[in-house]
Amino acid sequence: MSVRLTEVTEANRDAVLALRVPSDQEQFVGSVQRALENAAEYPHANPWYRAVYAGDEPVGFVMLSWNVEPKPPEIIGPWFLWKLLIDERYQGRGYGAEVVRQIADLVRAEEATELLTSYVEGPGGPAGFYERLGFVPTGERDNNGEVIVRLSLTTA
C-alpha cells in the first residue's frame, strides 16, 4: 500500500475539505475545515498539515504540531499528532496506519524521541487503532479530557 502526504493547495483544497468520516465517528474526529480553522487559530502550535493521497485520490488529512514548545494544557508537544482523518470511503484499507508510520518516520528524522496524540474515549473510538500501532497512555489528559498517548520513536 502506498500513500503520500501532499500539501493542501488551491487546486486540491475543495476535494480535501470534502473528506468525511462516517456519522458515528464524528464525535471522535472533527472535520478538515475545523482542523484548518484550528491551525489558523493556534499558529503558536506550529501546525503542519497534509492531504493524504492514494494514487491520484485524496483519501485523508493529517495535521501535527511540528516541533513546538509544549505549553500544557493548550499546546502538547513537541511532536503532536493533532488530526488524522481517513474518509469513510477509504477506511479499513490500512491508510491510517500507513500515515502514522510515515509521520513517525518524518519526526524521527528530526531526532524526535516520541510522537504524542490524544483521543476521545468511547465505543467505536480510535483507542484500539492507536494501541495496535504501539501508542501507550501517558496517564495524562488534555484540556478537553482526551486521553494522551505516546509512541516511542527510539529503538529498543
Side-chain angles (χ1 to χ4, degrees), residues 70-83:
K71 294 182 180 160
E74 185 182 43
I75 305 297
I76 301 169
W79 305 94
F80 184 76
L81 178 58
W82 196 348
K83 166 76 68 185

Side-chain angles (χ1 to χ4, degrees), residues 114-125:
E114 68 180 10
L115 175 63
L116 300 169
T117 194
S118 65
Y119 61 80
V120 174
E121 293 179 287

Side-chain angles (χ1 to χ4, degrees), residues 35-52:
L36 294 176
E37 290 168 2
N38 286 159
E41 188 177 342
Y42 297 98
H44 52 290
N46 204 17
W48 179 95
Y49 53 87
R50 296 292 186 267
V52 177

Side-chain angles (χ1 to χ4, degrees), residues 17-31:
L17 287 172
L19 299 169
R20 298 277 182 269
V21 296
S23 60
D24 63 341
Q25 292 178 7
E26 289 174 355
Q27 64 184 327
F28 304 113
V29 182
S31 68

Side-chain angles (χ1 to χ4, degrees), residues 91-106:
Q91 290 185 5
R93 301 182 190 186
Y95 295 144
E98 179 59 23
V99 169
V100 172
R101 279 191 280 278
Q102 287 187 26
I103 292 298
D105 288 345
L106 284 171

